Amino acid sequence: MAPNVPAVKLSNGYEMPIIGLGTWKSKPGEVEEAVKNAIEVGYRHIDCAMVYENEKEVGAAIKAKIDDGTVKREDLFVVSKLWNTFHQVDLVIPTCKKTIEDLGVGYLDLYLIHWPMAYKENAGMFPADENGKTLYSSVDYVDAWKGMEELVKMGLVKSIGISNFNSEQVQRVLDVATIKPVNNQVECHPYLNQKKLIAFCKERGICVTAYSPLGSPDRPWAKPDDPKLMEDPKLVELAKKHGKSPAQVLLRYQVQRGVIAIPKSVHKERLAQNINIFDFNLSDEEMKLVDSFDCNGRVCHLNWVNDHPHFPFHIEF
């Protein structure tokens, strides 16, 4: 029996399941099976992005599960993201339409600006000079936001939000928004617990989604001697105490803070484990213990573009 996953109520009244399936780094060829399995074991929130270059396969899986009667479209909460090369206001609508077409879902439940940094238009997803240095665009994300608002007015998207935005960038969007962002999706796990940014967003009616909630052990730039969150002895001990896996404890930690989490897995048994976290509680002491792991341990740092004028990680939060 699939667990009933609680939802977070967004500021505009829509509801977003508190656990979703992440699809970053899920290869075409394995992602379709992963999404089908996820829907079968009870996931109703699927997190996608154009830059993951697997939205067609995700869409095929969604279609299969709708066609076989497992779910209806309205049972699903589908998220995607506007990539950095499409911030120009006239590119926002056609880019979103392409994602909706690839996913085959008719509309998106939530569309996010993937990063506050715009990259050069019309030169591929990762425009670069002959030395491999990323090429930037001068488009400001507050202008991209105008395009995002149009998507809501057109009925292509129910809710809009941001991703990887720091507190100052969140505020700049709020200052110009006629339709407010409902969500900020950021890297978040005990080594980077984001306490201050979460509080800042909550005060402004913005919920937070944690990406890489398990510490992203499979990130492409990981080094062998990087600390591995899931092997942290204090975490392993805590998991044993509850008869749960370290991953389940990490996800339970986010859920108890009211933070949405989108773990990625392509293994059916782990997919089922990651959603089976509603039958135990961490005590206040245990939550404090996990909080104490914080060491500003950002793994998705994007240091190679840290000279971008809108690079988000130069300030504390």
Side-chain angles (χ1 to χ4, degrees):
M1 175 62 199
N4 200 7
V5 177
V8 169
K9 204 175 188 70
L10 304 177
S11 60
N12 58 8
Y14 290 111
E15 296 202 328
M16 181 172 181
I18 200 158
I19 294 285
L21 175 71
T23 60
W24 177 41
K25 307 182 296 324
S26 293
K27 301 171 192 70
E30 62 180 24
V31 72
E32 187 175 337
E33 201 53 32
V35 174
K36 282 187 200 163
N37 285 335
I39 291 172
E40 274 167 26
V41 301
Y43 288 75
R44 295 297 177 260
H45 163 191
I46 316 287
D47 181 83
C48 315
M50 182 178 271
V51 78
Y52 304 161
E53 299 190 320
N54 57 14
E55 289 192 320
K56 280 194 169 138
E57 287 87 351
V58 173
I62 289 172
K63 182 179 188 306
K65 292 285 101 194
I66 290 174
D67 288 351
D68 75 6
T70 307
V71 284
K72 301 185 192 66
R73 167 64 186 96
E74 56 271 24
D75 299 332
L76 296 174
F77 193 98
V78 182
V79 183
S80 188
K81 309 180 195 86
L82 178 77
W83 183 240
N84 308 3
T85 52
F86 304 108
H87 282 201
Q88 233 171 258
V89 76
D90 58 328
L91 297 177
V92 175
I93 294 166
T95 304
C96 181
K97 281 182 168 169
K98 171 82 170 84
T99 273
I100 291 170
E101 183 191 325
D102 284 352
L103 288 168
V105 288
Y107 64 91
L108 293 173
D109 295 276
L110 177 62
Y111 197 48
L112 309 173
I113 298 182
H114 204 149
W115 288 88
M117 304 174 286
Y119 293 172
K120 182 177 160 47
E121 299 77 15
N122 306 311
M125 293 281 200
F126 295 96
D129 65 16
E130 61 278 9
N131 301 315
K133 177 78 187 106
T134 304
L135 296 168
Y136 303 149
S137 160
S138 60
V139 179
D140 192 319
Y141 54 83
V142 294
D143 296 324
W145 191 254
K146 297 185 184 95
M148 299 289 281
E149 292 179 331
E150 284 308 307
L151 294 169
V152 179
K153 292 174 193 160
M154 292 168 74
L156 292 169
V157 173
K158 289 189 172 180
S159 303
I160 47 178
I162 49 191
S163 180
N164 299 297
F165 277 52
N166 67 35
S167 60
E168 290 172 5
Q169 294 169 330
V170 170
Q171 193 56 53
R172 277 192 75 220
V173 172
L174 288 171
D175 290 346
V176 300
T178 58
I179 301 173
K180 289 197 158 91
V182 298
N183 178 255
N184 187 12
Q185 182 180 128
V186 297
E187 179 185 338
C188 183
H189 45 75
Y191 286 171
L192 182 75
N193 71 29
Q194 297 281 23
K195 230 175 184 160
K196 289 181 177 172
L197 184 60
I198 291 166
F200 181 91
C201 287
K202 277 192 176 158
E203 280 161 17
R204 288 155 182 79
I206 298 169
C207 67
V208 169
T209 297
Y211 75 73
S212 301
L214 310 179
S216 194
D218 60 345
R219 63 191 180 279
W221 53 86
K223 295 184 192 73
D225 55 348
D226 285 351
K228 293 181 178 63
L229 173 61
M230 296 241 271
E231 295 169 17
D232 190 297
K234 289 177 287 194
L235 177 68
V236 171
E237 194 184 326
L238 186 55
K240 270 202 191 115
K241 183 181 152 191
H242 284 280
K244 293 287 180 182
S245 71
Q248 286 172 312
V249 171
L250 292 171
L251 297 170
R252 181 71 211 171
Y253 164 74
Q254 298 295 2
V255 164
Q256 283 186 214
R257 312 162 86 204
V259 171
I260 298 153
I262 47 169
K264 169 239 161 184
S265 181
V266 292
H267 306 286
K268 194 166 188 177
E269 63 284 2
R270 276 197 220 135
L271 285 166
Q273 264 187 6
N274 287 349
I275 207 169
N276 183 21
I277 56 166
F278 301 104
D279 58 352
F280 77 107
N281 272 297
L282 299 174
S283 69
D284 290 351
E285 255 52 58
E286 290 169 334
M287 288 293 287
K288 281 193 192 111
L289 170 71
V290 180
D291 265 338
S292 76
F293 294 5
D294 190 79
C295 55
N296 196 26
R298 190 183 298 281
V299 294
C300 200
H301 46 67
L302 260 66
N303 287 341
W304 47 91
V305 289
N306 67 9
D307 58 343
H308 193 294
H310 296 307
F311 182 74
F313 307 139
H314 287 315
I315 63 171
E316 188 195 350
F317 70 95

